[in-house]
Amino acid sequence: MNNQMHLQFSALSQNESFARVTVAAFIMQLDPTMDELTEIKTVVSEAVTNAIIHGYDNDPKATVYISVELEDGAVHITIKDEGIGIDDVEEARQPLYTTKPELERSGMGFTIMENFMDYVEIHSTKEGTSIRMTKYLAKSKALVN
């Protein structure tokens, strides 16, 4: 089954929970386990928070974009911003790295995404950042094995 959704919303921190719940509701049709659902909600939170805080520097006039595609038991999530971009993606992927230590950011966002998802791809330029993540759900893995 292939199905997709697209969502865009203002870059306000209170919209992070809206994004998380909306993506979770959409993927429920694949009957994920509770662990899979929790992991997906967590990575959506991390990516949206990164877009709002780091990409847009909390500019409420900016927009965060999410696309989700369900394809044969796989969940493909793309979260995109049109913010300032990431100067060094490899450095940003390092555990504990943050550009906002004054906000007591843990610097674990990308590490969490990479641990909870099967695939994470980050593209960033001065015109914004796009994070594409894929998770293969346990039921689809069982069908393959």
Side-chain angles (χ1 to χ4, degrees), residues 49 52-54 57-58 98-107:
T49 298
I52 293 168
I53 292 174
H54 299 288
D57 199 21
N58 290 302
T98 182
T99 59
K100 303 275 187 183
E102 70 279 6
L103 297 179
E104 297 183 20
R105 306 297 304 160
S106 70

Side-chain angles (χ1 to χ4, degrees), residues 42-43 46-47 50 92 96-97 106-114:
T42 300
V43 301
E46 292 292 338
N50 281 353
L96 307 177
Y97 176 81
S106 70
M108 295 299 289
F110 286 133
T111 301
I112 290 167
M113 290 178 221
E114 290 169 339

Side-chain angles (χ1 to χ4, degrees), residues 92-139:
R93 287 178 106 141
Q94 298 305 307
L96 307 177
Y97 176 81
T98 182
T99 59
K100 303 275 187 183
E102 70 279 6
L103 297 179
E104 297 183 20
R105 306 297 304 160
S106 70
M108 295 299 289
F110 286 133
T111 301
I112 290 167
M113 290 178 221
E114 290 169 339
N115 283 319
F116 285 173
M117 302 300 279
D118 294 306
Y119 174 78
V120 176
E121 181 179 8
I122 304 164
H123 291 288
S124 192
T125 67
K126 297 291 182 200
E127 289 78 42
T129 300
S130 175
I131 302 170
R132 180 164 168 85
M133 302 174 281
T134 299
K135 183 161 194 72
Y136 299 101
L137 302 183
K139 289 181 180 181

Side-chain angles (χ1 to χ4, degrees), residues 17 24 29 42 45 52 59 64 72 82 87 111 119 141 143:
S17 60
Q29 60 195 286
T42 300
S45 292
I52 293 168
D59 178 0
V64 177
D72 300 324
E82 297 169 331
D87 288 332
T111 301
Y119 174 78
K141 289 178 185 174
L143 295 174

Side-chain angles (χ1 to χ4, degrees), residues 30-84:
L30 293 181
D31 195 24
T33 67
M34 285 305 293
D35 285 344
E36 290 168 335
L37 191 59
T38 298
E39 290 172 353
I40 289 170
K41 287 166 61 176
T42 300
V43 301
V44 168
S45 292
E46 292 292 338
V48 168
T49 298
N50 281 353
I52 293 168
I53 292 174
H54 299 288
Y56 289 132
D57 199 21
N58 290 302
D59 178 0
K61 295 185 293 286
T63 303
V64 177
Y65 304 89
I66 300 179
S67 296
V68 181
E69 182 181 358
L70 308 179
E71 175 185 39
D72 300 324
V75 178
H76 306 285
I77 302 168
T78 302
I79 299 178
K80 189 173 88 164
D81 67 60
E82 297 169 331
I84 62 171

